[in-house]
Amino acid sequence: MESVRVMPRPVAAVCAVVVLALLVVPLLDSRYLIDLFTEIMIYALFALSLNVLIGYSGNVSFGHAAYFAIGGYTCAILLTTYEWGFAPAFAAAVIASALAAGLVAWFCVRLTDIYFAMLTLAFAMVVWGVAFKWRSVTGGDDGFVGVSVPAMLDSRIGFYYFTLAATGLSAAVLWLICHSAFGRCLVAVRENRIRAGFVGINTRLMRWWAFVVAGTFAGVAGAIFGMFHRGMYIESAFWTESATVLIMTLLGGIYSFFGPAIGAATLFVLERLTNEYTEYWPIVLGMILVGILLFLPDGLAGLARKLASYRSRGG
Amino acid sequence: MRYVLAVVAGVIALAGASAQAEIRLGVLYPIAGTGAVYGVPAMFGHDLAVDEINAAGGVNGQPLATFKRDTKLKPAAAAAAAKELITKDGVNVLIGGLSSAVGLAISEVARQEKVVYIATIPKTIQMTTTKLHDHVFRTASHTDFEGDAMARIVAQLGIEKLCDIQLDYAYGHDLGAGIVRGLARHAPDVDLVIELRPKLGATDYNAFISQILGAGCDGITSGLWGSHFVNFAQQAKPFGLFEQAKYISGGEIASHEIAGKMAEDYPDNVWSNTYELWYDHFDPSHVEFQKAVAEKAGTNETAMWPVLAYIGVKFYAAAATKAGSIESDAVAEALKGLSIDTPVGPRTINPEDHQADTGQFWGPMVKKEGVPYRMMDPITYIPAKIAE
């Protein structure tokens, strides 16, 4: 508990290596790997954002895809239909996600546990319904296809570095938020809401902020996703997408800051590899979920920690 | 990590470099889940075309190899799969797609990556109008042709009051619009009383049925396809809907897979369309084709989907032969105005909008002596022309 803002040295070292490795990916000259890592980074940020809510404040959301979709659609529509510049469109998308999250959170934080989770799901389905029905704006279930992306992001490598910068910066900000006094308060709320209340923490407000932070960064991930695919589709707002990111977070480990990013990368790569050999990815996904729940309650990050302590004890 | 990446990249580079002597076809159909009933038969046709071409020595001396991916009937999954086929497997062309949304998503990837995409099943008009680009071509029909043909039948049957019922998604909206444009040409006096829009995947049509009955229509135009029609018909039959009104439907419910599945339950007074009928040898080459499909499918009463996938591959092979190259721009150029013979007659791709002149077989579905299912009789081929 000694270091509040400074990363522990081993963590910082791993981060530096990962960033360096990501920096050289385009040098490998493989379009496939560039696309793969671009998408992994997007999902990693999406999962990290959800973990502010789940891991830090202890509120399980079943509707996190809504803010991803709002960010994605807003950015795509502003860029394409209204021909906004990149910077204002991107900023507006993030703000739209934040505002939507703020509004939904205002209702949701009045509830806890399963009621909270169900309400997040309900609001997410409203977002899905709007994307589905508002055909003239969102394209309905045809999807919003043909997003105009600014020239500087037109090249694959350019977009890759943009994604690396945006997700890296977002992850750094999330790290700071989670390890600030605010982050500590969230953990206190997670551990014992009543006691946290008695020591003077406004638990409802804290949970509101956690929701807003989570929604905002999901919006960042969504905006990048829409530009990367040059399209947004309603399935990005559907509850299955919320479930996917939830599983990513659980797989990585909710009690570790970087766990969800590891979970996102693992699940994403597994899905890609599985799809090459079989159409039955959902079966594999189901088995992974059962495996996590039964054997890895703290996810991959928890497993790594356990292995490390086992080795230090053994050696 | 760097080392790992280098190894990964090396393996992929090796895999990519080995045997580029073949022409790689990236194929996208739903092959598991709800879409599999269409995607699996489509793959029969695809494989048949590839086998035939390879047996004849391939294209420009190079054999065809198929790389297939499941689209899961979801546009985002289809887009990701299409991208991966191009960047990882290095496919030279994308073929397939089922559902309008999936087709548009694949087409967008084709635009970005500058790889030719031949849409074999998606029908949305947007693909060859507002969302048209240099590398997308369609060998399926489209909703304006279909709507126009339906309006002609409305005129032929002398319908006065018309009800329209379409599914609330891309195909339904586009077909509804196509019918309205067709009516203006062929049956301007018809009174279009109500337009109903049940949801895609709907199973309960009772509210819509009573609205149609109440409106007193003597004709219904519809695009309820597959299981939508099966459910609708089962619920509407007890009310005598099919006695009150003639049912003119797009969505290929005259295809044998629907007629065979519904058997005795198939209602009266249905006029519909199909791309192919196993019992109709419109073109002499159809006999051989149908026999080959029957062998693959293990039944003589084959579905209509194989022919669509088959034609897509044949068009690509013909274009690559004509171009003498598999380079995307050259193939795209060769596809413009290209004509080939298919088991359902000759087809030509319009150089302007990249749309093949794919007509369909239309007719009433009637009972036949000693046959457990309905068959189309008489069969009329309505060519792909927006007739004035």
Side-chain angles (χ1 to χ4, degrees), chain A residues 37-166:
Chain A
F37 280 98
T38 306
E39 225 165 339
I40 287 176
M41 289 189 285
I42 295 169
Y43 275 103
L45 176 61
F46 189 18
L48 284 176
S49 74
L50 176 62
N51 202 37
V52 175
L53 202 50
I54 296 186
Y56 285 87
S57 81
N59 291 281
V60 177
S61 165
F62 283 144
H64 202 49
Y67 314 100
F68 183 80
I70 289 171
Y73 271 111
T74 309
C75 188
I77 291 166
L78 290 178
L79 279 173
T80 314
T81 314
Y82 296 97
E83 297 178 354
W84 281 28
F86 163 73
F90 194 77
V94 176
I95 293 168
S97 308
L99 290 178
L103 181 68
V104 171
W106 190 82
F107 292 100
C108 291
V109 293
R110 270 138 234 280
L111 304 176
T112 53
D113 307 323
I114 188 74
Y115 306 101
F116 173 90
M118 285 298 126
L119 198 56
T120 58
L121 176 61
F123 276 109
M125 290 313 288
V126 170
V127 171
W128 177 83
V130 170
F132 178 52
K133 277 287 175 189
W134 203 6
R135 288 180 62 85
S136 55
V137 174
T138 63
D141 63 348
D142 290 356
F144 189 87
V145 190
V147 175
S148 13
V149 172
M152 61 166 183
L153 297 179
D154 211 25
S155 84
R156 189 170 247 120
I157 294 179
F159 198 90
Y160 176 84
Y161 282 121
F162 160 72
T163 308
L164 179 57

Side-chain angles (χ1 to χ4, degrees), chain A residues 133 142 156 230 272 276, chain B residues 84 88 112-113 168 170:
Chain A
K133 277 287 175 189
D142 290 356
R156 189 170 247 120
R230 311 283 164 99
R272 279 298 173 87
E276 278 179 45
Chain B
E84 192 176 303
K88 179 156 183 286
Q112 267 179 57
E113 303 291 338
D168 192 6

Side-chain angles (χ1 to χ4, degrees), chain A residues 72-265:
Chain A
Y73 271 111
T74 309
C75 188
I77 291 166
L78 290 178
L79 279 173
T80 314
T81 314
Y82 296 97
E83 297 178 354
W84 281 28
F86 163 73
F90 194 77
V94 176
I95 293 168
S97 308
L99 290 178
L103 181 68
V104 171
W106 190 82
F107 292 100
C108 291
V109 293
R110 270 138 234 280
L111 304 176
T112 53
D113 307 323
I114 188 74
Y115 306 101
F116 173 90
M118 285 298 126
L119 198 56
T120 58
L121 176 61
F123 276 109
M125 290 313 288
V126 170
V127 171
W128 177 83
V130 170
F132 178 52
K133 277 287 175 189
W134 203 6
R135 288 180 62 85
S136 55
V137 174
T138 63
D141 63 348
D142 290 356
F144 189 87
V145 190
V147 175
S148 13
V149 172
M152 61 166 183
L153 297 179
D154 211 25
S155 84
R156 189 170 247 120
I157 294 179
F159 198 90
Y160 176 84
Y161 282 121
F162 160 72
T163 308
L164 179 57
T167 54
L169 199 65
S170 301
V173 173
L174 279 172
W175 168 274
L176 287 177
I177 291 174
C178 289
H179 293 80
S180 64
F182 168 68
R184 300 284 166 196
C185 288
L186 287 184
V187 173
V189 172
R190 176 190 80 198
E191 291 302 319
N192 192 327
R193 198 165 43 241
I194 295 168
R195 196 185 269 180
F198 271 108
V199 297
I201 296 174
N202 183 343
T203 57
R204 200 175 268 181
L205 185 66
M206 287 292 130
R207 290 166 62 226
W208 185 82
W209 272 111
F211 202 120
V212 172
V213 169
T216 307
F217 285 95
V220 174
I224 304 173
F225 178 88
M227 287 190 287
F228 174 65
H229 280 292
R230 311 283 164 99
M232 279 302 292
Y233 306 98
I234 50 167
E235 56 198 270
S236 287
F238 203 52
W239 67 267
T240 49
E241 190 74 4
S242 297
T244 306
V245 69
L246 189 61
I247 295 172
M248 285 173 170
T249 309
L250 286 175
L251 173 64
I254 58 170
Y255 296 120
S256 143
F257 179 80
F258 287 109
I262 299 166

Side-chain angles (χ1 to χ4, degrees), chain B residues 11-200:
Chain B
V11 170
I12 288 165
L14 271 179
S18 67
Q20 249 310 359
E22 63 191 14
I23 298 175
R24 300 184 166 199
L25 313 180
V27 186
L28 295 142
Y29 290 110
I31 41 188
T34 36
V37 282
Y38 317 106
V40 171
M43 279 311 295
F44 293 149
H46 175 90
D47 292 339
L48 182 63
V50 169
D51 293 348
E52 275 181 25
I53 291 163
N54 283 345
V59 174
N60 305 329
Q62 289 174 290
L64 301 181
T66 299
F67 291 76
K68 69 172 173 183
R69 286 283 197 291
D70 188 7
T71 61
K72 304 173 182 164
L73 271 181
K74 292 182 186 164
K83 222 174 215 182
E84 192 176 303
L85 282 168
I86 295 169
T87 57
K88 179 156 183 286
D89 299 315
V91 299
N92 304 104
V93 61
L94 298 169
I95 302 177
L98 196 154
S99 110
S100 300
V102 163
L104 290 170
I106 301 173
S107 172
E108 185 57 29
V109 174
R111 180 210 299 267
Q112 267 179 57
E113 303 291 338
K114 300 185 172 53
V115 169
V116 169
Y117 167 43
I118 298 176
T120 53
I121 300 181
K123 271 197 203 156
T124 171
I125 188 72
Q126 299 171 40
M127 190 178 272
T128 46
T129 53
T130 50
K131 302 264 164 70
L132 179 68
H133 58 84
D134 289 346
H135 294 95
V136 67
F137 294 84
R138 173 168 36 209
T139 55
S141 184
H142 66 56
T143 45
D144 274 9
F145 290 152
E146 199 172 22
D148 192 79
M150 286 166 75
R152 283 200 231 186
I153 296 171
V154 167
Q156 250 172 42
L157 297 177
I159 284 159
E160 287 166 4
K161 277 178 97 175
L162 186 67
C163 290
D164 183 48
I165 177 166
Q166 304 291 347
L167 294 172
D168 192 6
Y169 83 113
Y171 169 65
H173 290 268
D174 291 344
L175 180 58
I179 294 169
V180 169
R181 282 194 284 268
L183 287 176
R185 281 186 289 265
H186 304 295
D189 300 331
V190 169
D191 188 8
L192 182 56
V193 192
I194 40 172
E195 294 174 85
L196 301 170
R197 297 288 181 264
K199 262 178 47 200
L200 178 66

